[in-house]
Amino acid sequence: MKLDESLFTVPGVRRGLRFYVTGPTPCPYLPDQFERKAFTHLSQAAPDALHHQLSEAGFRRSQSVAYRPACPNCNACRSVRVDAQSFSPSRNQLRVLSRNSDLIRRPVEPRATREQYRLLKHYLVNRHEGGGMSDMGFREYAGMVNETPVQTALFEYRQGPEEDSPLVAVSLTDILRDGFSMVYTFFDTRQPKRSLGTYMILDHIRNAESYGLPHVYLGYWIKQSPKMAYKKRFQPLEVLDGPVWRRLEEDE
C-alpha cells in the first residue's frame, strides 16, 4: 500500500531524520476505518527545537515519540491550534471561567503521583470505559508522564491554595516556542457543572496570552467525529492545510 511521501518530507526539519510507519489498527474515531501513524524519535540532539518544528508540521508527542496520521486513503485528521492572542471567550465560556474561579492552577514537574493516577482511573472509567487506555496501570501512566525529552509541565488544578487541596483536574502540557501543546487532560467527572475539559483549554489560552505566546495546540480535529466537535468552540481556530496554517472557517 503506497503512502504519501510528504509524510517523510517535513519543511524546516533537519535532513536525515528517520521516520517509521505503524501497522494498521482500528480507527478510534471513524467507524470501519483503520489508522496508521508516521513517527520519529525525539530523543536526539536538540529535542526541543525538533519538537517545535514537528509541532508546526502537525505532529503530536507521545512520550519520546512525535507522530502524525499516515492513513493512505483518509485525511480526516486535521491539526488545529487556537490563536490565543485574538481569542475572545463566548458568553458560555465566560460562565465556565466564572464557575471555576476558585480553582488554583499549579505547575509541577512531570512526575506521576498516585493521587493523579487515582483521578485518571476515575476519569477513564466514567468517560472512556473500554477504550485503549482504560486498563492503564500506574507504571504505564508514569511512562506517559515521566518519559519526555522535551520541556513539559503538569498543570494541577486544585480547590484551594494548599498542596493537599482536592485535585480536580490535570493537564500534561508541552511548552513550545510559540505556545502550549495540550498532550493529555483528565478531570473529576463528578463535577459536571464545572465543564472542566473546557475550562482547562480556556485557562491554557489565558495563560498563553499572558506570556505573549500566540498558540495553544489542541491536537487533531475530525469534522465527522462528534467527539471532536468541541474544538471548534475555541475561535479563532487555525487548521494546518498542507504546509500552511490558516483560519478555520465557521462553515467547514
Side-chain angles (χ1 to χ4, degrees):
M1 187 177 294
K2 184 175 177 58
L3 293 173
D4 185 350
E5 292 185 1
S6 67
L7 293 167
F8 311 100
T9 305
V10 183
V13 175
R14 69 188 66 157
R15 294 183 179 181
L17 196 62
R18 182 169 295 180
F19 290 90
Y20 308 87
V21 180
T22 64
T25 58
C27 177
Y29 299 106
L30 299 177
D32 304 318
Q33 296 286 339
F34 288 83
E35 68 171 359
R36 302 182 76 179
K37 295 175 182 176
F39 68 94
T40 190
H41 294 282
L42 291 168
S43 298
Q44 49 191 292
D48 282 296
L50 176 60
H51 183 217
H52 174 76
Q53 292 169 338
L54 290 171
S55 295
E56 285 192 318
F59 282 75
R60 296 284 287 168
R61 184 185 68 82
S62 177
Q63 295 176 251
S64 61
V65 164
Y67 69 90
R68 74 179 182 189
C71 307
N73 301 312
C74 178
N75 62 352
C77 291
R78 313 288 299 281
S79 296
V80 290
R81 66 188 186 187
V82 183
D83 181 348
Q85 299 302 313
S86 301
F87 178 79
S88 180
S90 66
R91 289 183 179 179
N92 182 63
Q93 289 168 340
L94 286 172
R95 287 192 287 268
V96 172
L97 287 168
S98 177
R99 286 196 295 268
N100 291 282
S101 60
D102 62 318
L103 297 186
I104 304 297
R105 176 196 347 110
R106 188 165 67 101
V108 299
E109 291 294 320
R111 292 292 179 268
T113 68
R114 292 285 178 180
E115 182 187 27
Q116 296 162 6
Y117 177 68
R118 287 193 295 270
L119 182 62
L120 172 67
K121 291 299 289 184
H122 164 82
Y123 171 78
L124 293 173
V125 167
N126 287 276
R127 286 297 181 93
H128 300 287
E129 188 172 12
M133 295 176 63
S134 59
D135 59 349
M136 176 182 285
F138 180 75
R139 182 175 297 179
E140 287 78 19
Y141 171 64
M144 181 177 79
V145 172
N146 299 358
E147 294 177 21
T148 172
V150 299
Q151 188 176 1
T152 301
L154 273 176
F155 290 110
E156 294 184 338
Y157 294 84
R158 295 182 179 272
Q159 288 180 264
E162 291 80 17
E163 290 190 8
D164 60 350
S165 296
L167 179 67
V168 299
V170 176
S171 176
L172 179 64
T173 302
D174 288 343
I175 315 301
L176 302 173
R177 289 201 302 255
D178 67 339
F180 298 122
S181 177
M182 300 181 72
V183 177
Y184 194 77
T185 61
F186 54 94
F187 52 85
D188 186 352
T189 62
R190 293 165 294 192
Q191 303 190 49
K193 291 184 179 180
R194 284 188 179 273
S195 301
L196 287 165
T198 295
Y199 173 69
M200 281 190 283
I201 295 175
L202 292 171
D203 186 65
H204 275 67
I205 295 170
R206 184 168 56 182
N207 199 20
E209 183 183 16
S210 70
Y211 280 103
L213 298 172
H215 303 121
V216 174
Y217 289 79
L218 299 183
Y220 299 112
W221 169 72
I222 302 174
K223 182 178 182 179
Q224 304 93 320
S225 173
K227 294 180 181 179
M228 297 289 192
Y230 72 92
K231 297 186 181 184
K232 283 198 72 175
R233 300 177 196 147
F234 301 92
Q235 298 289 337
L237 192 67
E238 297 178 352
V239 61
L240 185 61
D241 195 353
V244 178
W245 289 92
R246 65 168 177 81
R247 188 71 57 89
L248 183 67
E249 302 298 332
E250 292 281 354
D251 58 354
E252 287 190 65

